[in-house]
Amino acid sequence: MSISKKIHKFIEEGGWIRKMFESGIILKEQYGSENVFDLSLGNPVIEPPQEFHEALLKLASNPRPGMHRYMPNAGYQNTRDVIANSIAKESKVNLTGNNIIMTCGAAAALNVTLKTILDPKEEVIILSPFFVEYEYYIDNHGGKPVIVPTNPDFSLNMDDIEKSITSRTRAIIINSPNNPTGVVYNEKTYQDLSEIFIKKQKEHNRTIYIISDEPYRKIVFGSTVCPHWFNYYDNSIIVHSHAKDLALPGERIGYIAVSPHSAETSLLIDGLTFSNRILGFVNAPALMQNLVEHLQSTVVDPQIYETKMNFLYSELTEMGYQITKPQGAFYLFPKSPIKDDAVFTEELLAEKVLVVPGRGFGSPGHFRISYCVEDSVIEGSLQGFKKVSEKYHMI
Ligand SMILES: Cc1ncc(COP(=O)(O)O)c(C=O)c1O
């Protein structure tokens, strides 16, 4: 075989989103794209805020000498300072630009972090349902994913998490607002989880990191707020991205923020900076770093997503679908009315509605809907959802 057995296996096993994407292309060719309702991808349809275009124009018309050159691997100091100030203001934690490493989005930030902290076969706890790529990222750096299912309402099962911590645990990855469920963890969750990890660090006499993957932090609904890990747990690492909050997924810009109270902070930052370099990212895109420096208090309007969510949630629950109501992000994770979520998504596919089976996220028996799409796609999908719900007598 001309590619590694491992990658071949991963391609075969892990292709649910890709499979849906490919089915979508075929269906769109066959029936026309306006007749196919693709709710399978987390690719926001909303355009970046006006402030982004203004900052881009301003920069392009006043180019700074040297602005396309290499830079320190952690990124521009100015950008890092502005980000640190913004987090410090919100969290009331004393943070400087030296605690920030600019990255090519959250995906790079997670890989850089795992590369830096993992020795071979060390364990990283992930909570199902989880973002599909976590298992691969952990494997990339020789680690071992330990999957702990969440409760039926997707809250964290603290007992199970505690039981899963061993003398080889190096980290847990937390994601709130969550992809695929839209759930946001409250302060009590932060407190309880921190207590467990503080206790377990002592018991095993080792550093265990809480890696908080937060690309949806600013996409929350109503009065929902996301607490800051830095206020609860010293060995916390925040991963952020502007893929969703500024609708810039193709531009690959994000960052890592390290708690100023973490063990051996400067060694950790040196390690992260080095990993950013040797993983081949070298540094995050210069142009984007220059722009996001001016956009830390700018965000796409979360109300747009909230309106889409409320509409879809009420239509689907009326049809009998069982859904935990999201408080953020732009996904719904309903229960599949039949045990086999793959069969169920095939049924929806036959109605030209594309969603992803829950098993792709480590939680069979569910399916994921991405509603970061045009209203016409959401509205058009309802007929298919209804037809399938009637088939299974869901009311
Ligand atoms: C939970 C989660 N983490 C990380 C990422 C990767 O984000 P980025 O595009 O910034 O690499 C995504 C993207 O969808 C995500 O949903």
Side-chain angles (χ1 to χ4, degrees):
M1 205 184 306
S2 57
I3 63 168
S4 83
K5 291 190 191 73
K6 184 159 83 176
I7 293 297
H8 193 254
K9 180 170 157 269
F10 283 171
I11 295 174
E12 296 283 298
E13 284 172 2
W16 282 108
I17 295 184
R18 188 176 51 96
K19 188 168 173 278
M20 285 302 154
F21 182 68
E22 284 163 5
S23 305
I25 292 174
I26 296 168
L27 282 177
K28 282 171 196 167
E29 271 168 13
Q30 224 173 335
Y31 298 102
S33 57
E34 68 286 3
N35 297 314
V36 178
F37 310 105
D38 190 347
L39 304 168
S40 67
L41 291 178
N43 197 10
V45 77
I46 293 180
E47 290 300 325
Q50 184 57 24
E51 290 89 332
F52 170 77
H53 298 290
E54 284 163 11
L56 185 60
L57 273 176
K58 202 166 153 196
L59 187 64
S61 29
N62 302 288
R64 273 208 320 260
M67 69 179 236
H68 302 294
R69 293 186 192 144
Y70 286 127
M71 68 185 78
N73 300 112
Y76 287 128
Q77 193 64 44
N78 271 1
T79 309
R80 296 163 68 204
D81 289 344
V82 169
I83 290 173
N85 284 342
S86 148
I87 299 174
K89 206 165 129 197
E90 236 186 80
S91 66
K92 313 274 182 294
V93 170
N94 206 356
L95 203 71
T96 75
N98 294 335
N99 293 71
I100 308 291
I101 288 107
M102 300 306 298
T103 63
C104 297
L110 287 164
N111 274 283
V112 165
T113 302
L114 294 166
K115 173 95 183 157
T116 306
I117 63 174
L118 288 181
D119 274 318
K121 303 227 164 39
E122 284 191 325
E123 294 168 358
V124 180
I125 299 168
I126 55 177
L127 308 164
S128 61
F130 48 78
F131 174 54
V132 265
E133 311 292 58
Y134 289 161
E135 283 185 289
Y136 303 121
Y137 295 168
I138 295 165
D139 176 82
N140 282 347
H141 308 292
K144 185 176 159 229
V146 173
I147 299 171
V148 179
T150 54
N151 294 319
D153 64 354
F154 308 122
S155 60
L156 303 192
N157 186 325
M158 296 296 173
D159 288 343
D160 286 355
I161 292 176
E162 182 162 358
K163 281 186 212 134
S164 72
I165 302 171
T166 72
S167 57
R168 288 187 306 281
T169 305
R170 179 56 77 207
I172 181 169
I173 303 179
I174 299 287
N175 168 223
S176 169
N178 187 268
N179 173 9
T181 64
V183 161
V184 176
Y185 304 140
N186 60 19
E187 279 191 34
K188 170 105 173 61
T189 302
Y190 279 56
Q191 265 157 10
D192 292 351
L193 201 70
S194 298
E195 273 169 31
I196 292 173
F197 278 85
I198 290 166
K199 187 171 103 189
K200 288 289 173 180
Q201 284 197 127
K202 276 207 191 108
E203 194 179 310
H204 294 294
N205 191 26
R206 65 194 254 118
T207 300
I208 308 177
Y209 292 102
I210 292 183
I211 303 172
S212 182
D213 180 22
E214 306 184 351
Y216 304 95
R217 179 179 191 88
K218 296 181 184 168
I219 304 180
V220 284
F221 307 147
S223 56
T224 307
V225 279
C226 296
H228 276 277
W229 278 107
F230 293 169
N231 290 315
Y232 295 87
Y233 189 72
D234 286 351
N235 287 317
S236 53
I237 298 175
I238 309 301
V239 162
H240 190 79
S241 162
H242 291 302
K244 319 288 174 169
D245 62 19
L246 292 174
L248 298 172
E251 301 297 350
R252 314 308 306 139
I253 186 72
Y255 60 82
I256 301 167
V258 171
S259 163
H261 309 299
S262 59
E264 301 180 285
T265 310
S266 64
L267 182 63
L268 176 59
I269 290 164
D270 286 352
L272 293 166
T273 307
F274 181 75
S275 298
N276 205 28
R277 178 183 129 201
I278 63 165
L279 280 173
F281 303 116
V282 183
N283 55 250
L287 191 60
M288 286 303 127
Q289 290 193 52
N290 271 315
L291 296 180
V292 300
E293 180 185 326
H294 305 288
L295 299 170
Q296 287 308 304
S297 43
T298 307
V299 60
V300 295
D301 184 359
Q303 182 89 55
I304 297 174
Y305 289 126
E306 189 174 357
T307 306
K308 289 179 194 289
M309 184 276 291
N310 277 329
F311 173 73
L312 195 52
Y313 176 85
S314 85
E315 292 288 328
L316 293 181
T317 47
E318 214 161 285
M319 291 176 203
Y321 289 94
Q322 287 177 41
I323 316 173
T324 299
K325 196 169 188 186
Q327 294 160 288
F330 40 60
Y331 308 101
L332 291 171
F333 201 58
K335 262 196 177 149
S336 163
I338 53 172
K339 202 162 169 239
D340 192 328
D341 48 312
V343 170
F344 183 71
T345 53
E346 288 291 332
E347 302 250 5
L348 283 174
L349 195 63
E351 301 303 323
K352 305 182 205 69
V353 176
L354 278 78
V355 297
V356 185
R359 64 185 58 187
F361 306 87
S363 286
H366 295 81
F367 61 98
R368 189 191 76 172
I369 297 172
S370 287
Y371 57 82
C372 55
V373 294
E374 301 286 3
D375 289 345
S376 58
V377 177
I378 296 177
E379 284 157 17
S381 70
L382 294 178
Q383 202 188 346
F385 279 118
K386 179 116 180 94
K387 211 163 153 196
V388 180
S389 74
E390 282 167 356
K391 177 169 174 189
Y392 291 108
H393 311 293
M394 285 168 58
I395 294 268

